[in-house]
Amino acid sequence: MTARHLLTLLSLLVLVVPALAQGAPRSGAEVYRQACASCHASDGRGAPRQVTGIEAIPDFTVCAFVTREPNPDWYAVAHEGGPVRAFAQTMPAFGGALSEAEIKGALDHIRAFCPSKHWPRGDLNFPRPLFTEKAFPEDEAVLSTRVASKGQGEVMSKLVFEKRVSARGQLELIVPFGFRDVEGTGWRPGLGDIALGTKWALLHSLRTGTILSLAGEVILPTGRKDQGFGKGTTVFEPFLSFGQILPGHTFLQLQVGAEIPTQTSVAEPELFWRAVVGISLHQGFGRLWAPMIELLAARELEGDKPIPWDLVPQLQVTLSRRHHVRLAGGVQIPLNETETRKPQVVFYLLWDTFDGTFFAGW
Amino acid sequence: MTRPTSSGTASLLLALLLRAPRTGAAEGAFRTADDCLACHNGLATPSGLDYSFGYDWRPSMMANAARDPYWHAGVRREVSDHPSARAAIEAECSRCHMPMANEEARAAGGKGEVFANLVVGAIGRAPTLAQDGASCASCHRIEKEKLGTKESFTGGFVIAGGAQAIYGPYKVDAGRTRIMRSATDLVPTEAKHLGESELCATCHTLYTHSLGPKGETLGTLPEQVPYLEWKASAYAGTRSCQSCHMPAVPGKVAISSVLGVPREGVLGHDFRGGNFLMPRILARFREEQGVTALPQELAAASMRAVEHLQGQTAKLSIPRAELRGGALVAEVAVANLAGHKLPTAYPSRRAWLRFAVRDASGKLLFESGALEERGSIKGNDNDDDPRRFEPHHLEITHAGQVQIYEAILGDVRGTVTTGLLTGVRYLKDNRILPRGLDKARAAADIAVRGAAERDPDFVGGGDRVRYRVRLPASAPTPLSLEVALYYQPIGYRWASTLAGYRSAETGRFVDYYKAMRGATAVRVASSTAVVPAPSSRPSD
């Protein structure tokens, strides 16, 4: 054996022996049993108060709970403890005692307590863009407002209530309202066209990072057309929403659909498509910043009007520690027909109702 | 006032958004045991022996120190006897029975209270801390400072204000330290004093100040001093309080169910002692007393106390028994296996000998020390008449005499009393001495009082009593002797005296005691002997 061979062998020993001494890495199930089970119980249902002294421990077998949030939130809580998301302090910080791989292994084990594969994982729940409809079924209340910066005065808001009704389904109610500077009469308040909607996640895969949903809305003519608050006819709006995880915490969301009025003499049918790319930037384990850029287009099916294109740079940020209250804002910038279409400021305040009351979790 | 500019508003909003996330804020110096259970329950040895600290502690007298109805009645009685000293009495009693609430009250410039914190289910920090009794944080936060000194006695323990160290016998690594700190704001800190007797001595060495009618101090009474008894015994330096009352779990085991690492010499937290009675009372009346331990846990605690009493407390033997001149002469030897007097501490406790002789047909010929159903001892002067007491006996010759190992308090006039703040001295203290305690050299606070002082058989480690009983000549032989040592945590006189007070607490406890008829005492040790007819017995 040459000196070079000996050196190589020694180098290998130096690398291999400590690894062997540390033993095989613990499996997620093992980490869960050693670190989590005393409170969360080996079956994930949560140990009783008599055992832990803790009033309410979440039940990991409830799919609606265990699938809903993305991994970074779970990881943050496991690493930093409950208070990082405004949960109970009794949830300790394991960041100093468990490696990243061990925590992630335990989280995989926890996720597996949901026996159903129908529930899309929260990692496919991308930040909500200002216009593009998400594919992920949600429990949210959103108040969004659009303000015309130039031209005819308009401040229009809409309240959106989304309620998840099953693993894949969601119902939705949209109530628009606002003020318009109506020619000749000045600023007038008004109710817009109230819409009822539903959504169904057709397919979702965490492996490929994909989610696709079919959705539809019925827009009722509750707003006055003559004052610009409504279209004056019932409109059906079927659409597909798509989301895709991209490398480096980036994501893509698409929405393609049509507006089909029941009276084409009153409103034009049109196709629309929207796309958004963005990135999730975590401020340590705290706030989440999500800059996005959205491209909007719509084409009336009759006539030869040019397709209006808009670009919407925007930013969403979590306000509450729990990340259940978020603020987003951006500017809708027309890319063509800029003579008639002016930039508008758009923003929303979002409350994820599943994660607690509005004022909890700060 | 100038209107903020839009850029100023934007800057403010940005600053708010960029601020570091808040973390949980500390609530105060103490945490209740509930905050400890999650990580310190669910502990079992590989063989399946559960040693969960929470389960073990929960039915113990430590956990129920503030729920103990006898203590409630006792404090009420003292407050009734000495109304002008009410605040001082409550402050002193709550120091060890409600240590966390007491400490926080003191830190806030006030005094510990008892009755304000007794309402079951009361909401609020003080009653919550109070009812947690001698809880995890109260012992594990005691500093080494002053331990073992007289200053540390009578609840003179020191808890560092504001500090978040929580002491234990082991070194905890950084990762696990963070786990504990994040969940409780407490930092596990290695400290050997947690395993030393001096820690226990802070509450289990109690001097009370006897008060006169106007609240003036008449004297000081060593109300309970097991630590001093131990210190004068052969056990000092070799066995600690913890070694018997918190026996180590066998093998290497974890102290936490969350990422626990195996450690040697982990102490159990059941705090076993001699009080088998109170867990029984708490089990029967747990709703009324707001007890969190389950009935089966209380039953197990009571059984553990009985096992402890029967296995590690005393041994009885009859080294000599013979018929001589128509009389049975027998010697009974009692050995104290404990590291302190038997019984020790609170003076309501007593142990006594029941001695019975039966003839060959099983007929009872003689009996001394029979337990009566109401909890009294047949033949005990003090149970019959609160002004009298049964003396220590060197020899017992008739059924009206009984050897009772107990402490009898006397007031300034020498009258028998059960009032802790009325008693100024012991009229009788023949509690059996631990091995190594020399009564001739014992300090006044642990001295033997009464006839036992002059009893040559009453020595460190035990006592010998002679029974000389005249029997009917016609009694068929052989005779069988039965001797048993009984133990009662609350003697009949101590309980029945409370019936003379008109208060909810005293009335409740007297009712409880009555409800425990026949279950207030246990047999700790026993021995038997057979005495043949005189003709067949060997000569001296």
Side-chain angles (χ1 to χ4, degrees):
Chain A
M1 187 181 282
T2 64
R4 192 175 158 193
H5 284 127
L6 192 62
L7 197 64
T8 310
L9 186 63
L10 281 172
S11 305
L12 278 171
L13 283 172
V14 165
L15 290 171
V16 169
V17 168
L20 288 174
Q22 285 174 2
R26 285 181 287 193
S27 68
E30 207 173 343
V31 173
Y32 179 85
R33 185 175 57 75
Q34 292 176 1
C36 317
S38 64
C39 289
H40 292 286
S42 54
D43 63 1
R45 292 178 189 277
R49 189 185 182 284
Q50 278 284 345
V51 176
T52 62
I54 299 170
E55 202 63 59
I57 294 177
D59 184 344
F60 291 154
T61 64
V62 175
C63 296
F65 174 82
V66 83
T67 61
R68 184 174 293 257
E69 304 300 339
N71 254 3
D73 279 348
W74 285 80
Y75 186 83
V77 169
H79 194 279
E80 293 297 296
V84 79
R85 288 287 178 274
F87 293 116
Q89 194 187 356
T90 43
M91 172 65 201
F94 286 95
L98 296 175
S99 68
E100 182 180 338
E102 285 174 324
I103 292 177
K104 286 183 173 170
L107 294 181
D108 288 343
H109 184 75
I110 288 168
R111 301 282 201 179
F113 282 123
C114 167
S116 168
K117 301 296 174 201
H118 296 297
W119 295 78
R121 277 277 292 272
D123 302 85
L124 302 173
N125 186 6
F126 306 108
R128 184 188 185 101
L130 288 168
F131 293 93
T132 306
E133 188 76 26
K134 291 199 299 187
F136 196 86
E138 265 287 18
D139 282 301
E140 282 179 353
V142 184
L143 173 64
S144 68
T145 300
R146 180 164 48 89
V147 182
S149 59
K150 288 180 181 172
Q152 189 178 27
E154 182 183 64
V155 179
M156 283 301 293
S157 297
K158 63 179 179 182
L159 264 174
V160 181
F161 298 98
E162 294 174 345
K163 178 67 188 164
R164 196 164 179 174
V165 288
S166 63
R168 296 167 181 260
Q170 174 198 294
L171 294 176
E172 187 173 331
L173 169 68
I174 304 165
V175 183
F177 59 95
F179 296 88
R180 284 179 63 85
D181 185 8
V182 180
E183 207 168 334
T185 58
W187 284 87
R188 299 292 295 268
L191 181 69
D193 287 345
I194 292 174
L196 299 169
T198 185
K199 185 192 292 178
W200 188 261
L202 294 174
L203 62 90
H204 58 88
S205 165
L206 188 65
R207 188 179 56 80
T208 61
T210 309
I211 182 167
L212 176 69
S213 294
L214 174 66
E217 289 176 8
V218 181
I219 304 165
L220 306 171
T222 51
R224 286 183 61 172
K225 186 172 190 295
D226 60 332
Q227 293 181 353
F229 285 108
K231 292 202 169 178
T233 181
T234 301
V235 177
F236 292 97
E237 186 182 296
F239 61 86
L240 282 169
S241 286
F242 172 80
Q244 178 65 48
I245 297 174
L246 299 176
H249 304 292
T250 59
F251 54 84
L252 166 72
Q253 297 183 71
L254 300 172
Q255 184 188 6
V256 182
E259 281 190 6
I260 306 164
T262 51
Q263 293 175 275
T264 50
S265 59
V266 178
E268 292 289 338
E270 67 175 35
L271 293 175
F272 62 87
W273 56 96
R274 298 161 185 169
V276 61
V277 289
I279 183 166
S280 296
L281 300 172
H282 292 270
Q283 187 184 334
F285 289 104
R287 223 176 284 289
L288 172 69
W289 300 80
M292 293 175 271
I293 189 151
E294 206 168 0
L295 185 67
L296 314 176
R299 182 182 189 281
E300 286 187 358
L301 291 178
E302 292 172 15
D304 55 355
K305 283 187 185 172
I307 297 171
W309 291 89
D310 295 277
L311 201 62
V312 190
Q314 59 196 271
L315 177 68
Q316 189 210 60
V317 61
T318 55
L319 295 183
S320 61
R321 266 192 297 159
R322 193 165 292 168
H323 287 192
H324 75 312
V325 178
R326 301 178 181 215
L327 180 70
V331 182
Q332 183 181 0
I333 306 167
L335 296 178
N336 57 354
E337 298 185 286
T338 52
E339 288 298 311
T340 53
R341 301 189 309 120
K342 300 297 176 190
Q344 293 192 329
V345 175
V346 188
F347 53 90
Y348 69 67
L349 186 67
L350 177 155
W351 165 32
D352 186 334
T353 55
F354 187 85
D355 284 345
T357 63
F358 186 87
F359 295 104
W362 294 77
Chain B
M1 187 172 160
T2 55
R3 190 173 168 167
T5 62
S6 58
S7 61
T9 308
S11 304
L12 182 64
L13 182 63
L14 194 64
L16 283 171
L17 290 173
L18 288 172
R19 80 190 195 285
R22 281 190 301 134
T23 54
E27 285 176 18
F30 292 106
R31 293 277 181 168
T32 56
D34 272 6
D35 287 343
C36 309
L37 297 183
C39 293
H40 298 291
N41 259 352
L43 299 167
T45 63
S47 64
L49 172 70
D50 193 290
Y51 61 96
S52 296
F53 300 152
Y55 294 146
D56 281 352
W57 166 83
R58 192 159 57 185
S60 73
M61 288 313 298
M62 300 287 275
N64 293 293
R67 301 187 186 103
D68 177 348
Y70 182 47
W71 176 67
H72 299 168
V75 179
R76 178 61 76 190
R77 176 248 171 97
E78 296 299 338
V79 163
S80 303
D81 286 349
H82 309 282
S84 63
R86 175 177 174 152
I89 291 169
E90 290 198 38
E92 182 161 306
C93 295
S94 64
R95 182 66 181 157
C96 287
H97 282 262
M98 299 170 162
M100 297 192 295
N102 178 286
E103 182 71 18
E104 285 207 354
R106 282 160 58 133
K111 281 184 173 178
E113 294 179 294
V114 172
F115 297 108
N117 292 320
L118 285 188
V119 183
V120 172
I123 297 168
R125 184 160 176 80
T128 302
L129 287 177
Q131 287 172 31
D132 218 34
S135 187
C136 317
S138 45
C139 288
H140 285 268
R141 293 209 57 202
I142 292 178
E143 301 284 334
K144 187 172 176 56
E145 193 181 336
K146 295 183 185 174
L147 291 185
T149 68
K150 195 157 188 178
E151 232 182 322
S152 75
F153 301 155
T154 317
F157 51 82
V158 175
I159 288 175
Q164 297 298 302
I166 188 147
Y167 298 113
Y170 302 106
K171 187 170 178 60
V172 179
D173 65 33
R176 289 171 178 82
T177 295
R178 187 169 173 221
I179 289 175
M180 187 159 176
R181 183 175 201 164
S182 63
T184 62
D185 297 322
L186 297 168
V187 180
T189 306
E190 185 185 12
K192 296 297 178 197
H193 68 266
L194 257 288
E196 294 170 357
S197 301
E198 284 67 23
L199 184 92
C200 314
T202 57
C203 276
H204 293 283
T205 312
L206 178 59
Y207 288 87
T208 47
H209 300 290
S210 316
L211 302 173
K214 293 176 183 169
E216 72 278 18
T217 302
L218 300 177
T220 300
L221 179 79
E223 189 242 77
Q224 50 177 300
V225 288
Y227 167 74
L228 300 180
E229 295 159 9
W230 166 82
K231 200 144 192 213
S233 78
Y235 298 92
T238 58
R239 299 288 302 272
S240 65
C241 304
Q242 290 89 336
S243 69
C244 288
H245 296 284
M246 301 176 70
V249 181
K252 285 178 85 173
V253 293
I255 57 171
S256 168
S257 56
V258 176
L259 297 174
V261 288
R263 300 177 189 272
E264 200 76 63
V266 170
L267 298 183
H269 279 61
D270 57 42
F271 303 100
R272 60 191 65 180
N275 199 345
F276 64 89
L277 176 61
M278 193 49 64
R280 291 178 182 177
I281 291 176
L282 294 175
R284 282 191 65 177
F285 304 100
R286 65 185 287 276
E287 296 293 333
E288 289 177 30
Q289 297 302 315
V291 176
T292 55
L294 300 174
Q296 57 269 34
E297 292 172 344
L298 292 157
S302 178
M303 283 173 62
R304 227 170 5 232
V306 171
E307 283 169 15
H308 181 70
L309 285 166
Q310 293 177 338
Q312 298 186 46
T313 308
K315 267 192 179 166
L316 272 186
S317 60
I318 306 173
R320 179 179 165 216
E322 61 188 2
L323 281 166
R324 188 193 291 170
L328 170 76
V329 180
E331 269 188 20
V332 173
V334 192
N336 176 8
L337 307 181
H340 44 67
K341 289 182 182 177
L342 175 67
T344 186
Y346 196 76
S348 68
R349 301 165 184 179
R350 61 187 181 183
W352 73 94
L353 292 173
R354 173 185 177 268
F355 181 83
V357 183
R358 294 179 188 276
D359 67 14
S361 69
K363 184 183 170 192
L364 187 66
L365 301 178
F366 177 86
E367 186 179 29
S368 159
L371 172 66
E372 295 171 314
E373 204 171 68
R374 63 177 184 167
S376 54
I377 304 167
K378 193 171 182 183
N380 176 21
D381 292 349
N382 186 239
D383 285 347
D384 293 336
D385 180 352
R387 293 164 299 181
R388 298 166 57 214
F389 65 90
E390 188 73 13
H392 175 82
H393 295 283
L394 281 70
E395 181 176 276
I396 286 175
T397 55
H398 60 86
Q401 296 172 317
V402 52
Q403 183 73 310
I404 306 173
Y405 300 106
E406 62 183 345
I408 297 285
L409 274 67
D411 66 12
V412 282
R413 294 186 302 276
T415 307
V416 176
T417 180
T418 53
L420 297 177
L421 302 183
T422 305
V424 293
R425 63 193 171 98
Y426 288 103
L427 303 174
K428 171 189 177 186
D429 184 352
N430 69 335
R431 292 176 291 186
I432 311 166
L433 302 175
R435 187 165 53 83
L437 200 164
D438 180 354
K439 67 178 177 182
R441 299 161 80 176
D445 290 348
I446 55 169
V448 175
R449 302 292 183 191
E453 287 180 75
R454 300 174 297 280
D455 179 354
D457 293 330
F458 188 86
V459 294
D463 181 33
R464 277 187 180 224
V465 191
R466 187 178 308 107
Y467 288 82
R468 187 183 299 275
V469 181
R470 186 150 295 281
L471 300 172
S474 58
T477 54
L479 305 175
S480 56
L481 310 188
E482 305 158 15
V483 63
L485 182 73
Y486 279 83
Y487 175 73
Q488 194 176 41
I490 305 170
Y492 169 77
R493 174 56 52 206
W494 285 78
S496 58
T497 298
L498 295 170
Y501 292 85
R502 301 176 73 85
S503 76
E505 292 86 3
T506 49
R508 189 184 302 125
F509 177 71
V510 170
D511 288 345
Y512 289 172
Y513 193 82
K514 284 179 183 168
M516 304 307 291
R517 290 173 76 86
T520 59
V522 293
R523 191 169 65 176
V524 171
S526 61
S527 184
T528 58
V530 174
V531 181
S535 57
S536 61
R537 67 177 169 78
S539 57
D540 286 20

